Every structure is written in structure tokens, then in C-alpha cells.
Amino acid sequence: MAKDNKSLRVKYPDLSDEQIAELEEVFSKARTALKEIEIFDQEKVDRLIRTVAWSVANKKTFEELVAFGIKETGLGDPVSRMNKRFKIRGVLRDALRQKSVGIVEEIPEKGIVKYGKPAGIIASLIPTTNPDLTPAGTAINAIKARDVVIFSPHPRSKQTTNKTVELMREALRKEGVNPDVLQCLKGNPNKAMSMAVAAEADLVMATGGQNVVRRVYTAGTPAYGVGAGNSSMVIDETADIKEAARNTMLSKTSDFGSGCSADGNLVIEASIFDKMVKELQNVGGYLANEKEKEALKKVMWDENGKRLADTVAIAATQLAKIAGFEIPEDRKFIMVMGDGIGEEHLFSHEKLTTLLALYKYKGFEQAMEMVREIFEVGGKGHSCGIYSFNDEHIHLHAMNAPVSRIMVRQPNSKANAGSFTNGMPMTSSLGCGTWGGNIISENVSLKHYMNFTWVSKPIPEDRPSDEELFGEFYDPALEQ
């Protein structure tokens, strides 16, 4: 993988001389660090992920990172963003409970033994909405797998990501480990540079907007990407309305709705619709009138239907103010009545802020049809949920929805990437399957940072008869 500046210059003509020099430097250091970490034993890497995680996830430090990140980007809520440090604890929990060195799995009945091996040099593209959480989670899994990482920060939040990575590098230094196991681009992390890093790496972890993910797929390097969200929650007649309203508020307001898992659409059964709206108001929702809804539409999307950045991930009061009206200071999110589902109905698109759309259905089949229609607009493959105690409804929803994960009676944005009260793997990267243009339909976790060697030993013959295999189609005369 060694390259000289001249060959890199030919390969990446859009990079400046400074970027070429940085590219050469970070990969040279990464290759050196990889040779060192790939021989570490299980005890060593487990110790390292603990110190690296603590360097970021302790309350004092994470509070500083949150404040720094919000000041740098202008995005997010300082109160709810603090809770993301618990996600780091969850990623650490999952990693500590798994093996990554030597034998990691045995299947005696099949004669199979699996050995864990490093994936190599990972290029990690960091979103502006999680400039601290995503690097920490990536570092835990990468070090556990004995990989090295080059982080490519989002230009809008590059100082926060660099600060986060430097904290983790210092933790490695204190353990006598080469800090270049983790590096972060310090120059200009523009599109051309992120593409070059992705192309030179062994594996790419691309967490961010769809333009970023799609672009990285063209680099020619194996990549795990994420899909767009448009989270929709079905609330049927058996739902606990207070629970559903409270969880909706928690999911919608977390970090001002910046996450792709935040509730965007509520599909509510007609007989409980008014009660549900009232309870949503009780927990902090503001129901916009038609005039206010039109004003909100104009500040959230341009005339071509493109989402406007100025109203992404902001408080409900600020969103209303930008739209030209005032709401009470205690209102945490805004609701609008859904006026239809489809490309031309902008409120059925992903919101990425403290606003959600309400839809009414009669009969569960109509709810399922509405869910399918919403995901045709956007967010296919990502996630949705249901508030119900009717197992048949839950089953029908799971059979119907083209998504990779469905949360039952849980705040979606706090649950589908893993929580301490469900069994989903903890992550900040959500694979959305072929629906969302991704290779996996599960949460990105430790196993995706590793290669595996399968050792196979002979077992007693396991060959069904042709009659068993082909059933009624088997014709022994054709085998003569």
C-alpha cells in the first residue's frame, strides 16, 4: 500500500499539495501502527478500549465536547446530547462481551472454528451531528478488532472531532501504545480528501448524509454505509396513550431531532386520535394551524423540495420564530396535520428537526398502506415503530414495513441504535439493507470491523436423499 507523493498526485489531481502530504503521512503512520496493534492479545485490547472509552465518555469531558461541538456547528441540544455518552458505554459493553483475538466462535456439530483477524486501516467518515459519539464508538470497535482508524471529520465540525480523537490518542499514549492507532485529518477535509482517504483504506465506515455515503461507495473500497431516515410510528387502539406520547416526545426532542431515527410521522388510529393529540400537547407538543404549517414549510424546504439547513436540529421555539410566529417557551416540539403522503407532500419527508406530522387511519390495513407510502417517499430500510399490545398487529407491521428495525413501545431515536433495555447492538451507524442502498440490514457493530478465518474439520456425512431434497419433483428415471 506504500505510495509516493508523485503517484498520489497523479491519482488525486483535485488535492492540494498540503492534502497530498497529509494523505501520505497519515497512511504511513497508520501502516506502522497496524503492525504494532495487530499482534496485541485479547487482554491488551480490552484494556485499551476501556481507557479510550473513558477518555471521552466521562461526564466532565463529554460535557466539554458537547458544548464545544454545539458552539462550532450551531446544531443540537446541550441537555439531551449529554445522554449520548451512555451510548459509548453501551458500545463498550457489547465489545467487552465478545472475543476478537484468536478463536472467536466454535460450532462443533459442523466442525467449524472461527478466528478473528483485523480488517486493517479503516477510513471513518464522521457526521456533523455526532462529532464526538461516532469517533468514540468507532474507536472502541476498531481497537477491539486490532484495526487502526483515520477519521475524516465533517468540515462543519472538524475541530470537535479532532478534539475527541486527540483525547483518545492521549489515552493510548499513557498506556505506552502508538497513538497513531487513531488519527484525524487536520487539514482541509473536503469531498476530494475524504474520497482519497476512503480509496486508500482497507475498509470504510461511512456515517452521514446520503450524498456522502453514495460518493464513498464509488471509491472502490469495501464500505459500510447508512441510509436516510423517515421514522414513522403506528399507534393503534390498544396503545398506552400516555406512554406513546411521552416516548414520542423523548424521541422527537433528543438533540433537537437531529438524528435520522427521530420520530417524523405518527400514524394514529381514528378512535384514539384526539386523545393522542391532547396527550402530545400535555407532554410539550404544539399543534400548528394551517397558516403556521404553510409558514413552516417555507422555512424547512426550498421551492425544489430541498431541505434547508438553517432549520435543521433547532429548538421548536426557534423553528417557529424563523417561520414568523411565536409559541410558548415550554413547547418542545411542533406537530402538523399530515395533508397527504407523497413526493409533493413535503411533510411526509424526513424532517431532521423538532417537528412531526400526524396522520389518521381507520382499520389496520390502512395504517399498513400509509406506512408503505411514507417509505416510498423516503427512509426505506431505516426504522419505524409501533405502540400496541396486539401481537397480531405487531406481526403484520413487521411483515409489511420495508425497514431493518422496528421498535415496539419504545422511543425510537433512543432505542433502535441499542439501549440498556433492549437487545439491539449499541451503535451510531445503522445499516439499511438494499432498501437503503447498504450491504447490511443491521446495526454496525464489532463483527463488521473484522475479518474471519474459518477452519473446517471433517464431520460425518450430511447428505439428504434426493427424495428429501426434491420432494414431489424428484423423478428417479431421470437419474438413470
Side-chain angles (χ1 to χ4, degrees):
M1 199 178 276
K3 302 178 178 70
D4 58 38
N5 281 2
K6 183 177 180 180
S7 63
L8 290 175
R9 164 55 63 207
V10 172
K11 195 171 182 181
Y12 307 111
D14 293 335
L15 297 184
S16 67
D17 290 342
E18 291 78 11
Q19 287 175 314
I20 292 291
E22 183 177 26
L23 188 65
E24 173 66 21
E25 180 183 11
V26 293
F27 274 94
S28 176
K29 289 180 176 180
R31 287 188 286 273
T32 299
L34 181 61
K35 289 180 181 178
E36 297 173 21
I37 193 175
E38 65 184 1
I39 62 172
F40 286 178
D41 61 20
Q42 193 70 76
E43 182 179 0
K44 180 74 168 179
V45 293
D46 283 356
R47 178 177 175 83
L48 292 179
I49 62 175
R50 281 186 162 110
T51 186
V52 163
W54 181 247
S55 72
V56 175
N58 70 82
K59 183 178 180 180
K60 181 178 183 297
T61 300
F62 203 74
E63 197 167 41
E64 293 171 356
L65 288 172
V66 165
F68 191 87
I70 291 175
K71 182 178 180 181
E72 181 182 15
T73 65
L75 297 174
D77 170 34
V79 177
S80 58
R81 183 173 285 193
M82 277 299 295
N83 292 327
K84 292 185 177 182
R85 66 194 180 97
F86 298 113
K87 184 72 70 178
I88 299 172
R89 286 162 164 78
V91 174
L92 179 62
R93 178 203 67 182
D94 289 354
L96 287 170
R97 290 177 178 177
Q98 300 175 73
K99 294 181 179 180
S100 62
V101 180
I103 296 174
V104 298
E105 184 181 359
E106 296 181 79
I107 312 174
E109 67 274 17
K110 291 186 176 293
I112 297 295
V113 180
K114 297 181 186 179
Y115 288 75
K117 307 287 179 67
I121 300 174
I122 294 177
S124 176
L125 278 64
I126 305 300
T128 189
T129 51
N130 277 324
D132 36 32
L133 168 61
T134 301
T138 297
I140 292 168
N141 283 324
I143 293 172
K144 176 79 178 194
R146 295 174 295 160
D147 298 321
V148 299
V149 188
I150 298 172
F151 294 99
S152 180
H154 191 285
R156 188 172 176 178
S157 55
K158 67 177 183 178
Q159 294 181 54
T160 306
T161 297
N162 264 286
K163 189 178 182 70
T164 303
V165 175
E166 189 52 48
L167 288 166
M168 297 189 290
R169 284 170 56 86
E170 183 57 30
L172 292 173
R173 284 191 192 95
K174 290 179 179 178
E175 290 298 310
V177 173
N178 186 342
D180 294 332
V181 164
L182 305 174
Q183 298 182 80
C184 187
L185 298 179
K186 297 183 182 300
N188 178 11
N190 60 7
K191 294 177 182 178
M193 187 62 167
S194 64
M195 279 294 291
V197 172
E200 294 298 308
D202 298 311
L203 177 67
V204 180
M205 294 289 176
T207 305
Q210 288 308 285
N211 289 338
V212 172
V213 174
R214 298 290 181 269
R215 188 167 62 247
V216 164
Y217 283 166
T218 68
T221 301
Y224 291 110
V226 299
N230 193 15
S231 179
S232 303
M233 311 298 286
V234 174
I235 304 171
D236 78 4
E237 65 277 8
T238 71
D240 180 329
I241 291 176
K242 288 185 179 295
E243 175 189 59
R246 180 177 180 275
N247 284 350
T248 298
M249 179 273 291
L250 291 173
S251 179
K252 181 74 273 186
T253 60
S254 179
D255 211 15
F256 291 155
S258 65
C260 48
S261 298
D263 294 8
N265 309 286
L266 300 186
V267 180
I268 308 168
E269 206 276 328
S271 67
I272 64 167
F273 187 88
D274 292 341
K275 291 180 181 178
M276 185 65 196
V277 172
K278 184 176 180 180
E279 193 57 38
L280 287 165
Q281 291 172 319
N282 289 342
V283 297
Y286 176 85
L287 183 60
N289 60 37
E290 287 301 309
K291 182 179 178 181
E292 292 166 339
K293 185 169 81 170
E294 285 303 309
L296 287 163
K297 184 188 296 184
K298 291 178 181 178
V299 299
M300 290 178 64
W301 292 277
D302 67 16
E303 61 274 13
N304 297 314
K306 182 180 178 181
R307 189 67 175 85
L308 297 170
D310 290 348
T311 51
V312 169
I314 59 175
T317 51
Q318 186 181 355
L319 177 58
K321 188 174 183 179
I322 292 174
F325 62 96
E326 300 285 335
I327 65 175
E329 287 296 320
D330 66 348
R331 297 297 86 185
K332 300 174 182 177
F333 60 99
I334 298 173
M335 303 175 288
V336 299
M337 292 295 184
D339 53 5
I341 300 171
E343 285 291 336
E344 71 278 18
H345 298 287
L346 296 179
F347 285 111
S348 65
H349 290 241
E350 187 177 27
K351 317 319 187 273
L352 294 174
T353 196
T354 47
L355 181 143
L356 54 81
L358 308 178
Y359 298 91
K360 184 187 297 185
Y361 76 87
K362 291 183 179 180
F364 200 70
E365 180 50 44
Q366 185 185 19
M368 296 297 91
E369 182 180 348
M370 293 172 78
V371 168
R372 290 192 297 269
E373 290 174 350
I374 287 171
F375 285 119
E376 286 301 318
V377 175
K380 189 179 287 188
H382 199 282
S383 59
C384 63
I386 184 170
Y387 290 95
S388 174
F389 289 91
N390 183 323
D391 285 341
E392 180 62 18
H393 281 182
I394 295 169
H395 170 70
L396 289 172
H397 193 26
M399 292 290 289
N400 174 74
V403 298
S404 302
R405 49 196 69 77
I406 296 177
M407 297 300 106
V408 178
R409 302 188 301 272
Q410 299 174 70
N412 202 58
S413 70
K414 294 180 175 293
N416 68 3
S419 81
F420 292 109
T421 56
N422 71 25
M424 300 294 290
M426 294 275 195
T427 189
S428 61
S429 300
L430 303 173
C432 295
T434 56
W435 295 299
N438 306 149
I439 196 61
I440 59 169
S441 53
E442 60 185 337
N443 293 3
V444 177
S445 58
L446 175 61
K447 67 180 180 180
H448 301 111
Y449 288 73
M450 299 171 65
N451 285 316
F452 296 92
T453 297
W454 290 48
V455 176
S456 173
K457 297 178 181 178
I459 61 173
E461 186 176 61
D462 180 15
R463 181 188 297 184
S465 68
D466 281 353
E467 289 87 343
E468 290 177 283
L469 288 172
F470 298 106
E472 64 182 284
F473 301 102
Y474 177 63
D475 183 353
L478 298 177
E479 286 292 294
Q480 299 303 314

